[in-house]
Amino acid sequence: MADVKLQVKICGIKTVEQGCAVAELGATALGYICVAKSPRYLLPADIASITAAVSARYPAVYHFGVFANEAVEQIVAIAQTAGLTVIQLHGDEAPAFCKQLRVALSEAGLSALQLVKALRIRTAADLKLAERYEPYVDILLLDAYHPEQLGGTGKTLDWQALQRFSPSCPWYLAGGLNPDNIQTALSMLSPDGIDLSSGVEKAPGEKDLSRVRQLFTQLSGLPC
C-alpha cells in the first residue's frame, strides 16, 4: 500500500450498494466498523457480503476491519469470516498486543493481512508514541482525540503540528477530513493515505455519494 499514489479510504461502509459505488468513484480502500457500540457497526457476515461483491468488481480495493480493544481470537475469527485484507486497531492496544496479533494471524494462515494502528492525537506526546508501534505495524493512522468517541467525530487535527511527523512506515491522515478542507490539509501534509467517514456522510453509515464525488474532484485538482 505504500506506493506513490495517495490511498483513499472511505470508512463506515454499511451496504453492498454503497461499497461498490464508492469503489467505482475511486476509493482504494473501504472500512467496516467491527465495534458493536458504533452506529456504523456491521456483523461479520454482512461485511462478507460487501467484501465479496466489491472484490468481484474492484479486486484492487483493500478492506479494513476497524476494531477497538477486541480479543486477538475474535479479531482473527472476524477477519476470516468477513474477508478482510487489513486489520485496523483503533482502541488502546499496546505494541505488545500488535505483536501478539501478528503471530495469531500468521498461525491462522492470514499473514498477508496488513496491520494498522490508529492513534488519537491530543498532544505532541501522543505523536511520540507512534515510534513504539512502528516495528509491529504496516501503517499508522492519526485521528483526532475525542473523550467519548473512537472515530467518525468530524473533529480535525492540528495539521501544522503534524508537519514534522515522519515515521518509518506509511501513515494515513484522518480526523474531520471532508471535500471542503482536503486541499488545505494536503497542502500542509504529505500522508500516504487519507481516511474519511463523517465528512462524506448524510448520517452515520449513510454515505453521501455526491460528497464522495466532490472529494475526488478536489483530489484531482491537487498538483502531482
Side-chain angles (χ1 to χ4, degrees):
M1 260 193 252
D3 57 18
V4 175
K5 180 181 178 182
L6 180 72
Q7 301 292 322
V8 181
K9 176 189 168 209
I10 304 297
C11 202
I13 298 296
K14 292 194 72 173
T15 68
V16 169
E17 293 75 19
Q18 281 187 1
C20 290
V22 169
E24 184 172 358
L25 287 170
T28 61
L30 304 179
Y32 314 97
I33 306 303
C34 303
V35 181
K37 67 180 181 179
S38 169
R40 301 176 179 89
Y41 172 70
L42 273 186
L43 291 168
D46 294 329
I47 297 173
S49 297
I50 304 173
T51 59
V54 173
S55 296
R57 296 177 60 183
Y58 308 98
V61 169
Y62 291 91
H63 299 279
F64 284 58
V66 181
F67 299 85
N69 305 321
E70 187 62 80
V72 166
E73 297 78 10
Q74 188 72 355
I75 293 173
V76 173
I78 291 173
Q80 290 173 316
T81 299
L84 302 176
T85 54
V86 185
I87 302 296
Q88 178 177 320
L89 301 176
H90 215 97
D92 303 313
E93 301 88 1
F97 181 91
C98 298
K99 184 178 181 180
Q100 181 185 1
L101 179 57
R102 282 274 201 208
V103 173
L105 288 169
S106 179
E107 291 175 347
L110 299 174
S111 58
L113 268 65
Q114 299 196 56
L115 186 58
V116 177
K117 180 66 183 85
L119 301 173
R120 294 181 291 150
I121 304 302
R122 183 169 30 175
T123 67
D126 295 327
L127 278 178
K128 191 70 176 174
L129 277 175
E131 296 179 4
R132 297 172 51 203
Y133 288 93
E134 289 174 24
Y136 307 110
V137 302
D138 299 291
I139 298 168
L140 291 167
L141 185 148
L142 302 188
D143 201 356
Y145 175 82
H146 189 283
E148 298 174 354
Q149 294 176 249
L150 293 175
T153 65
K155 293 182 63 176
T156 59
L157 290 156
D158 180 353
W159 298 327
Q160 188 169 357
L162 299 181
Q163 288 183 316
R164 293 187 179 180
F165 184 65
S166 183
S168 61
C169 63
W171 71 281
Y172 279 35
L173 177 66
L177 298 176
N178 60 57
D180 304 314
N181 65 19
I182 193 63
Q183 287 201 0
T184 301
L186 294 180
S187 71
M188 300 174 67
L189 300 169
S190 299
D192 299 280
I194 55 175
D195 186 347
L196 293 88
S197 184
S198 61
V200 288
E201 283 184 333
K202 297 177 182 178
E206 183 183 353
K207 298 309 172 199
D208 184 338
L209 295 182
S210 66
R211 292 285 281 171
V212 178
R213 190 174 293 108
Q214 184 183 354
L215 169 71
F216 285 100
T217 298
Q218 294 298 318
L219 292 175
S220 68
L222 291 170
C224 297

